[in-house]
Amino acid sequence: MKRTLRTTLLTTGALIAAVCVPATAAPAAADARVDLRVLVVSDGGPATDAIAAELDAAGTPYTEIDLTRADRPVIDPGFLADTVDGRARAKFQAVVLPDDNPFPANSPEMAALAAYERTYDIPQVDAYTYARPEAGLQYPVYGGYSGSVDGVRAQVTDAGRSGPFGYLEGVVPFEDNSPSVGESYAYLSTPMAGADFTPYVEAAIPGTAKRGSLVGEYRHDGRRELVVTFVYNRYQQQFRLLARGIVAWMTGGVHLGASRNYFAVHVDDVFAADDRWNSTLNCTPGDVDCTDPNATPDPIRMTAADVDHAVAWQRERGFTLDLAYNGAGSVDHREDNDGADALADRFVAERDEFRWVNHTYTHAFLGCRQDTTVVPWRCATHADGSVDWVSRDDISDEIADNRVWGEVAGLPVDDGELVTGEHSGLRVLPQQTSDNPHLALALADNGIEWLASDNSRESGGRTVGPATTVPRHPMNVFYNAGRAAEQVDEYNWIYTSRAQGGSGICEDNPDTTTCLPAPLDLATGYTDHIVPLERQIALGHVLANDPKPHFIHQSNLAEDRIAYPVLDGVLAGYATLFAENTPVVNLRMRDIGTELQRRAAWRSAVQAGQVTAYRIGTTLTVEGPDGVAIPATMPEGTTRAGSAFAESYAGDRSGWTTAADAPLTLTLPASAAPSTAPDTAGPVPAGEPAPDTRVPEGVAEPLSPGAGS
């Protein structure tokens, strides 16, 4: 969808009316007020869209202009700068362009931007541009390269690591998901002789011993440009790795918004048993949709040895799992085994090694009462046609009984967190189009503040009575598989066509599911196909500043322990990409919910025009409404009232803070001060328009089918 002038995600309301003055008449940058907002000039391509998405996710304000719209505003000196209270104001702290010059020849708009950038020391990002002298680089035909960079392992240079990309370990792998699809295209070239050009990310130029720049800084004519010569979309790993550094470079590390690399994993059904997939019946005996009279449930349940493995794995990885438990699973097991339950005994002995979440006592379905006489099931109804809902008392008993069982066992449970079985009680389409009306009342009865939901059904959080939902990403490691061959068999059933022996589900739902070209090998399909794909999807969430937890099931930690290769792939892969100053952030559900809630409040405040932020020299001021936390990222050395600001992460200081009854005032280190040299040079030509660049079709975000509950 094409967009005209848009202040996206974070606007500070209408700009203060003032007399506009030409940017070239402004005083030096050190004396001016610079608003903390980015100008994104888009041509509708994937590169500028990706940068805008990064700003969205972090909570950084920006205004977007769509060059394809005839009714867009004109970029002139008055659009870029004015005066406020007698002080010159630069309305944007950085400029993002589709390339180094997307305007026609002799464009007054490009001239205005160039003059604005020189006057106020405003950096410019060329989101994807051709390697050419106007961008500080040789043409690729002179010993460079133009073409695919699929599978290339680029490298952050020493300058990049000591500069904006210091959070990376060094290698930047480019995706190569399909040998038949061109996924990445780049221009690799070396700096022009005499150009003040510093490569930050390079790759080998094929057929030569030289390396060409993919990302570099070009200083010229009193301006600074970040020159990016490869195309990307918002989902590709190479962009996700570099996005933080692009924003850090354009803002000098001073901007509203904050981001982390989050990863949390919930393990559902602990103490209970999960029914096993039947490869002959192609269903799961014990489930409501497996109605074969000869179907006999075959339970999968962890052992004490599996607990020991989980404990050792966590200690080695420095990572904590969240265990969603069902107390009745242990009670039933003891009744069937003369009071013995080695699994529960071992878990209780190691209880402090994990985080624990109430998953209801019996894992009962808490929505409508299910009529399983038909497939798929439907909601049972009363004689008058109204829905027969599970009662408030029944829901409350499931929550309270499990809490009490956990307390008796000594589990360190947060009573405000809840995961219902199958996320039930919440609406489930198509059968149950609304929440169980008794759910909110039962949550209030039990003091529930955070309620898990399925991100594949509802990607946004919402309130349910006193609780706020926390969407969880399902991992495509099935709840009914304890062995790799079972996982592959069910995967083949779902993701192959009827002609190849599958269910045809993928054929019936082409918008959300892609059919495999052929069934996976039962012996190798899990390791060779499923694990790499699930690792890629989960790591993509980690790199996207997405705090939502992932969820698997206790069956996946039993028998073949099939979850660990996926989790190891995420954590080990992450460790090879990021420096020690950028660790994975592993939060429990309450803290994840708080993060999402803060983001929602911040979004509402800024969209209502209640937030103003600017810097003058080394003093930064942010005004916001009482009670709304402010996300901000600042350089190391930034202080608030003499104390270090926020937390250190990825080489900067960042986090949430409140302004209380007065504006938030931060003092930046002297190294973050803008240039103090006045602009005395005359006008500089903006250069010839950039040539058209080849933009191959972007790669779609991988699908993450639900994994059940």
Side-chain angles (χ1 to χ4, degrees):
M1 179 175 66
K2 303 298 183 184
R3 293 155 291 190
T4 185
L5 174 65
R6 184 185 69 176
T7 302
T8 306
L9 175 63
L10 303 175
T11 73
T12 59
L15 298 179
I16 300 173
V19 177
C20 296
V21 296
T24 53
D31 300 321
R33 162 179 160 168
V34 180
D35 284 359
L36 269 61
R37 179 183 292 128
V38 175
L39 175 62
V40 178
V41 180
S42 172
D43 63 353
T48 49
D49 179 69
I51 293 175
E54 174 68 10
L55 299 174
D56 269 328
T60 304
Y62 70 96
T63 296
E64 183 171 359
I65 293 179
D66 188 342
L67 293 177
T68 67
R69 292 290 295 264
D71 59 349
R72 69 173 179 85
V74 174
I75 301 173
D76 58 19
F79 178 81
L80 297 168
D82 60 9
T83 58
V84 175
D85 297 329
R87 182 185 296 275
R89 175 177 71 153
K91 299 179 184 179
F92 307 101
Q93 67 179 131
V95 174
V96 178
L97 299 183
D99 50 55
D100 63 281
N101 182 1
F103 300 95
N106 302 313
S107 166
E109 291 186 288
M110 191 65 231
L113 279 168
Y116 172 73
E117 292 167 9
R118 293 172 63 238
T119 300
Y120 294 100
D121 192 25
I122 302 298
Q124 173 184 307
V125 174
D126 306 333
Y128 168 49
T129 197
Y130 187 70
R132 64 187 190 130
E134 289 85 348
L137 295 168
Q138 293 274 10
Y139 288 114
V141 294
Y142 299 126
Y145 170 79
S146 302
S148 172
V149 285
D150 291 2
V152 163
R153 292 176 67 81
Q155 187 74 34
V156 180
T157 65
D158 290 343
R161 292 200 61 189
S162 63
F165 300 100
Y167 57 90
L168 293 175
E169 188 66 24
V171 176
V172 180
F174 277 59
E175 291 183 355
D176 186 12
N177 298 315
S178 171
S180 61
V181 176
E183 300 162 23
S184 301
Y185 191 92
Y187 302 99
L188 291 172
S189 185
T190 55
M192 286 285 294
D196 186 357
F197 191 101
T198 304
Y200 289 145
V201 182
E202 295 179 325
I205 297 176
T208 76
K210 298 183 297 183
R211 302 185 69 82
S213 178
L214 289 165
V215 182
E217 179 176 343
Y218 180 38
R219 291 176 176 259
H220 65 107
D221 303 329
R223 300 167 58 209
R224 295 178 293 134
E225 295 181 47
L226 191 71
V227 179
V228 184
T229 59
F230 71 95
V231 70
Y232 46 88
N233 66 42
R234 67 173 72 181
Y235 304 113
Q236 289 176 303
Q237 179 174 276
Q238 54 267 30
F239 171 72
R240 293 256 44 92
L241 290 173
L242 297 173
R244 178 188 295 274
I246 292 173
V247 174
W249 182 89
M250 75 168 79
T251 63
V254 178
H255 60 87
L256 293 181
S259 65
R260 296 283 189 274
N261 294 337
Y262 298 95
F263 190 44
V265 178
H266 291 192
V267 183
D268 289 4
D269 306 348
V270 171
F271 300 127
D274 292 296
D275 293 323
R276 190 185 309 273
W277 170 257
N278 187 301
S279 59
T280 301
L281 300 174
N282 289 318
C283 65
T284 305
D287 281 7
V288 295
D289 59 352
C290 194
T291 58
D292 191 298
N294 298 315
T296 302
D298 181 11
I300 309 167
R301 191 172 189 257
M302 292 177 69
T303 66
D306 295 326
V307 177
D308 292 337
H309 184 86
V311 170
W313 181 86
Q314 286 191 151
R315 291 174 177 171
E316 183 177 349
R317 303 303 185 279
F319 188 85
T320 302
L321 298 169
D322 295 83
L323 305 186
Y325 72 96
N326 307 107
S330 177
V331 173
D332 292 345
H333 189 88
R334 291 188 190 280
E335 288 180 354
D336 295 338
N337 293 273
D338 297 324
D341 186 0
L343 172 65
D345 292 344
R346 193 74 193 122
F347 260 132
V348 169
E350 299 286 1
R351 57 187 175 271
D352 292 331
E353 295 285 338
F354 305 94
R355 293 191 291 252
W356 296 87
V357 185
N358 189 338
H359 194 30
T360 72
Y361 190 61
T362 70
H363 199 281
F365 190 83
L366 303 180
C368 62
R369 299 197 185 276
Q370 295 173 295
D371 178 358
T372 60
T373 62
V374 294
V375 177
W377 63 270
R378 63 190 175 195
C379 285
T381 57
H382 297 292
D384 62 0
S386 61
V387 175
D388 184 6
W389 297 104
V390 173
S391 72
R392 174 179 179 177
D393 287 344
D394 286 348
I395 298 173
S396 189
D397 287 347
E398 280 288 325
I399 300 170
D401 289 351
N402 205 49
R403 182 184 66 246
V404 170
W405 187 92
E407 290 172 351
V408 172
L411 302 183
V413 180
D414 184 330
D415 291 342
E417 300 175 340
L418 178 68
V419 180
T420 58
E422 300 179 66
H423 302 103
S424 60
L426 298 173
R427 55 183 176 242
V428 182
L429 300 178
Q431 294 101 322
Q432 184 185 314
T433 58
S434 64
D435 297 341
N436 183 339
H438 304 306
L439 176 64
L441 300 172
L443 298 178
D445 292 340
N446 289 274
I448 302 300
E449 301 171 76
W450 308 104
L451 176 66
S453 62
D454 187 335
N455 189 74
S456 65
R457 300 176 189 168
E458 300 182 64
S459 59
R462 61 187 177 91
T463 58
V464 181
T468 300
T469 62
V470 178
R472 305 190 302 167
H473 292 293
M475 299 189 88
N476 222 10
V477 182
F478 301 138
Y479 79 98
N480 50 5
R483 303 186 181 102
E486 296 164 354
Q487 166 82 14
V488 175
D489 184 83
E490 184 175 4
Y491 199 92
N492 284 338
W493 175 249
I494 296 171
Y495 296 111
T496 58
S497 65
R498 294 178 180 88
Q500 293 182 324
S503 63
I505 291 173
C506 58
E507 295 173 286
D508 298 340
N509 300 276
D511 293 339
T512 58
T513 309
T514 301
C515 290
L516 293 167
L520 302 177
D521 185 276
L522 292 182
T524 62
Y526 187 67
T527 299
D528 293 349
H529 179 87
I530 298 175
V531 168
L533 179 58
E534 290 308 304
R535 168 205 170 275
Q536 179 186 21
I537 294 171
L539 185 58
H541 296 151
V542 175
L543 302 186
N545 187 27
D546 183 352
K548 297 174 185 174
H550 295 72
F551 71 97
I552 55 174
H553 296 80
Q554 63 84 32
S555 54
N556 308 141
L557 304 185
E559 299 180 348
D560 286 355
R561 301 169 179 165
I562 61 176
Y564 290 111
V566 176
L567 303 185
D568 281 336
V570 174
L571 295 173
Y574 184 92
T576 66
L577 298 172
F578 287 88
E580 291 183 1
N581 66 358
T582 313
V584 165
V585 178
N586 175 222
L587 302 179
R588 71 172 304 135
M589 190 163 81
R590 170 182 292 278
D591 297 327
I592 293 169
T594 299
E595 171 70 20
L596 295 173
Q597 199 171 62
R598 282 173 170 172
R599 294 185 187 188
W602 172 251
R603 180 187 298 269
S604 297
V606 296
Q607 287 180 341
Q610 298 173 322
V611 176
T612 301
Y614 57 90
R615 63 178 292 181
I616 299 173
T618 58
T619 300
L620 185 141
T621 303
V622 185
E623 299 179 7
D626 290 345
V628 174
I630 299 167
T633 299
M634 300 291 143
E636 287 286 357
T638 299
T639 59
R640 180 186 185 186
S643 299
F645 170 73
E647 299 174 339
S648 181
Y649 190 82
D652 291 315
R653 312 281 311 179
S654 61
W656 294 89
T657 188
T658 56
D661 296 329
L664 170 66
T665 301
L666 302 176
T667 301
L668 304 172
S671 59
S675 171
T676 58
D679 177 21
T680 58
V684 176
E688 292 299 313
D692 289 338
T693 50
R694 177 180 181 270
V695 182
E697 183 177 350
V699 179
E701 183 180 23
L703 298 176
S704 179
S709 178

